Amino acid sequence: MDIVESKLDKKIYIPADVPVDKEELFWANFMKITHNSGRLMLFAGDQKVEHLNNDFYAKGIPPEDNDPKHLFEIASKANIGVFATQFGLISRYGRKYKDIPYLVKLNAKTNLIPYNEKDPYSQQWLDVEDVISFQKESGLNILALGYTLYLGSEHEHSMLAQAANIVHQAHKNGMIAVLWIYPKGKYVPDEHDAHLIAGAAGVGATLGADFVKLKVPYENNVFVPKLLTQVTQAAGTSGVLCEGGDKIDVLTFLQELHEQIHIGGSRGNGTGRNIHQRPLAQAIGMANAICAITTENASVEEAMKIFKEAQNGKI
């Protein structure tokens, strides 16, 4: 039975390392970010570090995307599950945007050093305790924590240890844990190999993640939905979020998203560029369309209608 058509079972989604006195908080956070569906629409706003300004200032990108405020305007007005970005940006804009559902990314690295030149290492910036204190003092709507690790790097042992600790500490505090897991480095010839991505999904499950954000499997440089089933099965009860990738045609993106969920078995998406590299009305419409497919079982046609209405100013 489709997950959004069935009654969600707490036993499946609440990990055993969530303390008894935090179970209701964890469940409330989980249901809030998944819109009671078990699926997550994650609006990714962490690229200010990851991709520097390449994703925010270039031909075809609206001028307002260069200002971080654009991300917060989208997140505050669109239907999203959670807005993922770094602690510092949240602290800079949080007073004005208190009601956004936040995920705090606890690490990041730039892409200045090519992966084939030096194995990537993205070290944790802050402790979970720092985020918990900030949440209590600021009153911000922080519901989840996130961390990126690179399998295949010579530094993977350090990142695995940090990821395991973050997931456990998140659960101890009733928060949702999302891991970005990307095999990268000189020993990884094909980042879109289905078998390799399934391995990364299995690592995410082993680390106890509630959701794992992964690349999508390609065959001859084309997304093949059926290949995704190996990935989602390997993840077990950890939900697979498919990476949004470069900005593409709206209809193509929404069709692939629908296939990821209904053929590949994914439980959501992590989308940045395909949302924020648009003027505000279009960005809100795109986010709403993605959220409708992800959490409301909307068809591609229904989602396209949502996007077009927003594009025409009917938000």
Side-chain angles (χ1 to χ4, degrees):
M1 182 181 291
D2 194 290
I3 190 168
V4 296
E5 295 175 348
S6 64
K7 186 176 180 180
L8 297 182
D9 187 349
K10 288 186 179 182
K11 293 179 182 179
I12 295 175
Y13 298 105
I14 299 182
D17 62 340
V18 175
V20 173
D21 65 339
K22 296 292 184 182
E23 286 186 0
E24 289 305 315
L25 175 60
F26 179 93
W27 186 243
N29 288 339
F30 183 85
M31 295 295 277
K32 186 180 294 185
I33 70 172
T34 66
H35 294 195
N36 301 319
S37 72
R39 295 188 191 141
L40 177 59
M41 185 282 189
L42 183 148
F43 174 35
D46 57 332
Q47 301 100 338
K48 279 287 186 181
V49 176
E50 302 291 342
H51 303 161
L52 294 176
N53 228 34
N54 295 334
D55 286 346
F56 300 91
Y57 189 85
K59 184 178 179 180
I61 298 176
E64 60 260 44
D65 200 21
N66 194 40
D67 187 338
K69 179 183 176 182
H70 185 58
L71 297 170
F72 288 83
E73 284 289 298
I74 297 167
S76 67
K77 295 174 180 176
N79 292 328
I80 63 170
V82 71
F83 173 47
T85 194
Q86 281 79 17
F87 181 92
L89 267 187
I90 295 172
S91 72
R92 298 299 305 178
Y93 291 86
R95 291 185 187 275
K96 183 176 179 180
Y97 301 96
K98 294 179 72 73
D99 295 330
I100 291 174
Y102 288 109
L103 177 151
V104 178
K105 276 296 293 293
L106 289 173
N107 70 329
K109 61 172 288 298
T110 73
N111 59 359
L112 288 174
I113 302 174
Y115 294 114
N116 59 356
E117 292 291 334
K118 186 175 182 180
D119 280 355
Y121 178 45
S122 188
Q123 188 172 2
Q124 184 175 347
W125 290 6
L126 295 165
D127 292 331
V128 173
E129 291 79 6
D130 295 323
V131 178
I132 300 301
S133 296
F134 175 66
Q135 178 197 41
K136 292 177 179 177
E137 293 166 2
S138 67
L140 293 183
N141 193 25
I142 299 172
L143 309 175
L145 299 174
Y147 180 89
T148 299
L149 63 139
Y150 301 100
L151 297 183
S153 166
E154 63 180 309
H155 308 289
E156 71 170 23
H157 61 287
S158 295
M159 289 180 280
L160 286 166
Q162 289 173 12
N165 182 63
I166 288 168
V167 170
H168 182 49
Q169 293 300 320
H171 289 166
K172 285 177 66 176
N173 288 281
M175 287 189 175
I176 311 304
V178 181
L179 297 179
W180 283 239
I181 303 185
Y182 300 136
K184 284 184 182 290
K186 52 182 174 287
Y187 296 109
V188 181
D190 183 4
E191 297 176 11
H192 289 276
D193 176 72
H195 197 60
L196 180 62
I197 298 170
V203 171
T206 303
L207 291 168
D210 302 298
F211 293 95
V212 188
K213 185 170 180 281
L214 304 162
K215 292 187 177 295
V216 294
Y218 288 171
E219 189 172 79
N220 298 322
N221 295 317
V222 176
F223 168 61
V224 180
K226 288 186 178 180
L227 292 177
L228 189 57
T229 58
Q230 180 189 167
V231 177
T232 55
Q233 289 170 355
T237 58
S238 296
V240 168
L241 306 179
C242 291
E243 179 188 51
D246 294 334
K247 181 183 174 186
I248 59 175
D249 171 73
V250 174
L251 179 59
T252 301
F253 183 93
L254 295 177
Q255 286 175 331
E256 289 190 0
L257 172 62
H258 196 272
E259 292 171 345
Q260 289 165 4
I261 292 171
H262 294 286
I263 298 176
S266 68
R267 281 190 22 223
N269 59 91
T271 307
R273 287 163 283 182
N274 276 281
I275 295 174
H276 68 73
Q277 288 183 342
R278 303 178 189 277
L280 183 59
Q282 286 189 26
I284 293 171
M286 186 63 169
N288 290 351
I290 292 170
C291 198
I293 288 177
T294 304
T295 66
E296 300 169 20
N297 261 1
S299 67
V300 175
E301 292 74 19
E302 290 168 333
M304 279 299 300
K305 182 179 179 181
I306 290 170
F307 173 77
K308 289 177 180 178
E309 287 179 348
Q311 190 177 23
N312 295 327
K314 300 177 181 179
I315 299 176

